[in-house]
């Protein structure tokens, strides 16, 4: 499964806390010639992706926009089974924060 391919994750399944004009949430796909960009540079900005059903994810990666020399410097992951109650992804009780890629399993 890959968010970079719109046939697997619909653009309608992607939303965000905010975005700059033209930098919509559905543009947050790897190896695309467009990107999502939050309207503000604040810690609580988020991108939300509804996978439609439960999945086991092995990796999550981010990439910046090379044309704008910008990108996410750190990110954390939270998950929800109902879209309302969110749980931080933790290992040994510690919230995981990464600069570019999460390796979630040993696969």
């Amino acid at each position: 499964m890959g968010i970079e391919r719109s046939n697997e994750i619909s653009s309608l399944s992607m939303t965000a806390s905010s975005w700059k004009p033209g930098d919509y949430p559905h543009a947050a796909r790897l190896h695309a010639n467009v990107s999502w960009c939050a309207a503000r540079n604040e810690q609580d900005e988020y991108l939300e992706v509804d996978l439609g059903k439960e999945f086991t994810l092995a990796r999550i990666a981010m990439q910046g926009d090379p044309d704008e020399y910008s990108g996410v410097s750190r990110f954390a992951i939270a998950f929800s089974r109902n879209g309302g109650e969110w749980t931080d992804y933790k290992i040994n009780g510690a919230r995981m924060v990464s600069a570019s890629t999460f390796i979630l399993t040993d696969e």
Side-chain angles (χ1 to χ4, degrees), residues 62-97:
M62 300 288 245
Q63 96 187 22
D65 184 339
D67 294 333
E68 298 291 328
Y69 302 102
S70 65
V72 173
S73 57
R74 294 175 3 131
F75 70 100
I77 296 176
F79 59 92
S80 174
R81 288 187 169 88
N82 61 19
E85 296 177 34
W86 292 89
T87 303
D88 287 332
Y89 174 69
K90 296 179 181 181
I91 295 179
N92 296 326
R95 181 175 186 231
M96 300 306 299
V97 177

Side-chain angles (χ1 to χ4, degrees), residues 90-105:
K90 296 179 181 181
I91 295 179
N92 296 326
R95 181 175 186 231
M96 300 306 299
V97 177
S98 177
S100 61
T101 303
F102 268 111
I103 308 298
L104 302 173
T105 69

Side-chain angles (χ1 to χ4, degrees), residues 24-40:
Y24 303 108
H26 67 267
R29 299 183 185 275
L30 290 176
H31 313 297
N33 59 356
V34 294
S35 62
W36 164 68
C37 184
R40 299 171 301 277

